Amino acid sequence: MSFTESELGYLATQVLARLATVAPDGTVQNSPVGFFVNTDLGTIDIGGHNLARTKKFRNIATCPQVAVVIDDLASRSPWTVRGVEVRGTAEALADVDPPRPGFSRQLIRITPRRIISWGIDPEHPGHTARTV
């Protein structure tokens, strides 16, 4: 498994992420997305409505390097941030079972290469980072 128990616990409480992809001309695009942790594969899966028509889906076909950030504020006073960043490679998959009713049959699957987390594991305060 790519993710620690603390990371899995945190990710299960979140529904939105930001996905960074790179266009063929080198332009970086950052998009808000819904995500799912595929615990069987150790991946982050992203679905959506008409996903094949999106720039992020097309970008992955030409440049599979991506980063996705899932984070939130646990508190404003005191200021307490927490989150997980996943850097890795993505696949633009077609004709797969939708992860949620109403989603299209396309999916973006991210295989982690580097995972950075912060503020989610009381036994390891601060940032933790590892290559997977």
Side-chain angles (χ1 to χ4, degrees), residues 19 31-34 36 45-60 91-94 96 98-99 102-109:
L19 174 66
S31 304
V33 294
F36 309 88
D45 292 350
I46 296 169
H49 303 283
N50 297 317
L51 192 60
R53 297 178 124 184
T54 65
K55 183 137 179 70
K56 60 186 163 279
F57 194 82
R58 293 189 311 270
N59 286 349
I60 289 166
E91 298 174 85
L93 303 174
V96 296
F103 279 20
S104 62
R105 296 189 57 80
Q106 297 80 39
L107 188 75
I108 294 170
R109 176 160 291 147

Side-chain angles (χ1 to χ4, degrees), residues 6 22 34 46 52-53 55 61 68 81 89 92 95 101 117 119 122 124 127 131:
S6 294
V22 181
I46 296 169
R53 297 178 124 184
K55 183 137 179 70
V68 62
V81 295
T89 55
D95 200 28
S117 60
H124 299 96
H127 284 75
T131 302

Side-chain angles (χ1 to χ4, degrees), residues 35-85:
F35 74 96
F36 309 88
V37 178
N38 184 326
T39 54
D40 292 338
L41 299 175
T43 61
I44 298 284
D45 292 350
I46 296 169
H49 303 283
N50 297 317
L51 192 60
R53 297 178 124 184
T54 65
K55 183 137 179 70
K56 60 186 163 279
F57 194 82
R58 293 189 311 270
N59 286 349
I60 289 166
T62 59
C63 181
Q65 303 308 112
V66 299
V68 62
V69 173
I70 302 103
D71 65 339
D72 72 334
L73 282 174
S75 170
R76 286 185 162 197
S77 182
W79 188 260
T80 308
V81 295
R82 58 189 181 171
V84 176
E85 177 183 352

